[in-house]
Amino acid sequence: MARVYNFSAGPAVLPEEVLEKAADEMLDYAGCGMSVMEMSHRSSAFKDIIESAEADLRDLMDIPDSYKVLFLQGGDSLIFASLFMNLATNGKADYVLTGNWSKKAYAEAQILGDPKVLASSADKNFTYIPDCSDLPVRDDASFVYICENNTIYGTTYPELPDTKGHPLVADQSSMFLSKPVDVTRYGLIHAGAQKNVGPAGVQIVIVREDLVPDDLPGVPTMLRFKTQADAGSLYNTPNCWGIYVCGLVFKWIRERGGLVALEEANAEKAGVLYDFLDASALFSSPVNPRDRSLMNVPFVTGDSALDAAFVSQAAAQGLVNLKGHRSVGGMRASLYNAMPREGVEALVSFMKDFEARHARDAR
Ligand SMILES: *Cc1c(COP(=O)(O)O)cnc(C)c1O
């Protein structure tokens, strides 16, 4: 069976080497005679899996010992609430709104307390990142929240906001492990695995230990970060299979030279598509050039019938999941770590061909 080039925003393409390794070990993991899916989360084999996943992640991101690494469940949609419950103990936190995901995080905070919007790019359909050099952060804000890479709109922060000394909390789901980041600049980083590092069902939370309260009256056990921090993410049964595949992806990244090498490859890959878009008479990028994401690249022709024809003809060529999100329209190519450069080259070559066939009709 031929594999396609999968440009899905998530769940998304995984490295073929990782899928092959997981297939090899499917029936018999490391001589255990059973699949990872069948083993106790208390077994020594699984203990090795989760501990080496954490160690590899710490190594890749250079995570200081003063930060906890948690493998959680419930989707980032639950983390939006739990991080507010854990970190905003006075009910106050300040948000920058740059798309659907930060809006959802803010909406959860509105249910739970008194959040404030510091800045928003809603005025131009989230096609840019607002100026965050002098935000009106409240003195008593527990943290400043951003969605660092906006999966739907294809924007990313060119530099981190000035939080005026308050902890920065970032949703890194669609850029996690795509480049080196300085963990010490964050109070908390959260990311769903299903974009860049594994199957759906695992949320990775990296949190500064001193921000995790010991006691949280009224907050259920499973929503307290302290519960899983104390238990090494094994308070209850975790997503064992998901954590295992994340661990294989971490090893795959290490083998490829780590995050510096990946960032270089990702910038080159995205450059192939952006260079073409900037020169094209038919396709264009709606995103402010300074704020363009290397991971998610929306593009449009300006004609929705032509967009639809493009998406279906591309799929027939094995270039799949290119339909844009309904709030942007057009197309979107997600170019996560596991998308090979050849995939982007195949996409651009198809776009050139499509343009040659259709440019005249579009005008
Ligand atoms: C995909 C995505 C999420 C996903 O949330 P789930 O609840 O895990 O589906 C959250 N934030 C961002 C930035 C995303 O790209």
Side-chain angles (χ1 to χ4, degrees), residues 96-277:
V96 180
L97 302 190
T98 53
N100 289 22
W101 295 112
S102 46
K103 272 164 58 185
K104 285 188 164 171
Y106 174 69
E108 292 304 309
Q110 282 182 304
I111 295 171
L112 295 163
D114 165 33
K116 173 185 173 177
V117 175
L118 294 174
S120 164
S121 50
D123 60 334
K124 292 184 183 158
N125 198 31
F126 300 116
T127 50
Y128 72 105
I129 298 291
D131 177 10
C132 293
S133 59
D134 186 19
L135 296 169
V137 184
R138 290 177 293 185
D139 288 342
D140 57 353
S142 296
F143 58 81
V144 172
Y145 187 93
I146 62 169
C147 178
E148 196 166 338
N149 186 81
N150 296 282
T151 324
I152 292 170
Y153 298 93
T155 61
T156 203
Y157 280 72
E159 64 231 10
L160 293 179
D162 179 352
T163 62
K164 310 207 164 148
H166 299 259
L168 178 65
V169 172
D171 178 353
Q172 287 196 347
S173 291
S174 49
M175 56 164 284
F176 194 62
L177 298 184
S178 67
K179 63 171 197 178
V181 298
D182 179 356
V183 175
T184 64
R185 296 192 63 190
Y186 301 81
L188 182 149
I189 293 169
H190 70 95
Q194 73 270 27
K195 305 293 157 67
N196 226 349
V197 295
V202 181
Q203 279 63 51
I204 296 170
V205 170
I206 301 167
V207 58
R208 229 175 66 203
E209 201 172 0
D210 64 290
L211 296 175
V212 178
D214 282 333
D215 192 27
L216 275 175
V219 175
T221 312
M222 278 293 285
L223 295 178
R224 300 179 189 196
F225 291 156
K226 180 95 171 101
T227 303
Q228 294 290 19
D230 285 350
S233 303
L234 291 170
Y235 171 77
N236 70 326
T237 321
N239 180 345
C240 298
W241 170 258
I243 292 167
Y244 157 71
V245 178
C246 289
L248 295 180
V249 172
F250 301 159
K251 288 206 183 336
W252 178 85
I253 296 173
R254 291 188 64 171
E255 281 157 17
R256 292 170 66 98
L259 299 183
V260 173
L262 268 191
E263 179 179 31
E264 207 172 295
N266 286 333
E268 262 179 43
K269 252 167 28 188
V272 171
L273 180 50
Y274 282 124
D275 287 349
F276 171 72
L277 287 173

